[in-house]
Amino acid sequence: MFSKYYSLEEANTLIPWFHEEIIYLKYLQDTLHRTYRKRRAAADAGEEEVFLLEAAIDFLEWQTRDLIRQLETKYVFVRSVQNGQIDLPAKANGRTVMLSWKFGESAISRYRELFAVYTKRKRIEATDDDADPEWRKYPLE
């Protein structure tokens, strides 16, 4: 299903990176919301101001989508920017699950079933790949 599965150990090494990416995505989202409000308020403004605001909105949307796409190429899935929720595929007991990290957590200690809602996270101690340090030979770039 996925071409990359994370061990719990490997996923936990990426938390500082997740933290930075979520902060940046939240910044983009907040800026986008402020710009939308300015655009609505500028309905009676001049054509040039409306054009500039719409161009800024387009650019912010593009930046957000591009960053999320970049993360997805590494099989890192943003479940919620606002709540800072990220999922990563893993193997546990021979089946595919999603390791779940939430902004502010110091370590990944939860997973959810592949199609389960985020509130159904369960505790995890290790994945099937935690015994195999093979991932260290090919670090995520």
Side-chain angles (χ1 to χ4, degrees), residues 31-61:
T31 305
L32 184 59
H33 289 295
R34 282 194 309 278
T35 309
Y36 271 127
R37 285 193 296 275
K38 285 180 187 175
R39 169 58 184 96
R40 280 196 303 270
D44 298 329
E47 233 177 82
E48 186 177 338
E49 184 178 347
V50 169
F51 174 79
L52 291 173
L53 288 168
E54 288 178 352
I57 288 168
D58 288 345
F59 184 67
L60 288 163
E61 287 175 339

Side-chain angles (χ1 to χ4, degrees), residues 3-4 6 17 66-77 140-141:
S3 61
K4 168 75 176 158
Y6 288 88
W17 177 55
D66 188 58
L67 180 53
I68 289 172
R69 254 186 256 128
Q70 287 178 34
L71 292 167
E72 288 175 350
T73 63
K74 294 172 174 60
Y75 294 96
V76 174
F77 301 99
L140 189 64
E141 295 176 8

Side-chain angles (χ1 to χ4, degrees), residues 15 19 100-110 118 121:
I15 288 176
H19 188 268
S100 297
W101 177 78
K102 188 173 181 180
F103 189 80
E105 293 178 343
S106 61
I108 298 171
S109 61
R110 303 246 176 227
Y118 202 81
R121 297 190 313 159

Side-chain angles (χ1 to χ4, degrees), residues 1-29:
M1 177 175 280
F2 298 101
S3 61
K4 168 75 176 158
Y5 293 93
Y6 288 88
S7 70
L8 192 56
E9 180 184 3
E10 177 185 16
N12 277 316
T13 66
L14 300 174
I15 288 176
W17 177 55
F18 298 158
H19 188 268
E20 288 178 19
E21 297 300 312
I22 288 294
I23 286 173
Y24 188 57
L25 281 167
K26 284 183 177 198
Y27 165 77
L28 289 172
Q29 192 173 61

Side-chain angles (χ1 to χ4, degrees), residues 116-130:
V117 294
Y118 202 81
T119 57
K120 300 287 184 188
R121 297 190 313 159
K122 302 172 187 169
R123 192 132 187 77
I124 189 167
E125 301 294 328
T127 66
D128 294 354
D129 295 318
D130 276 310

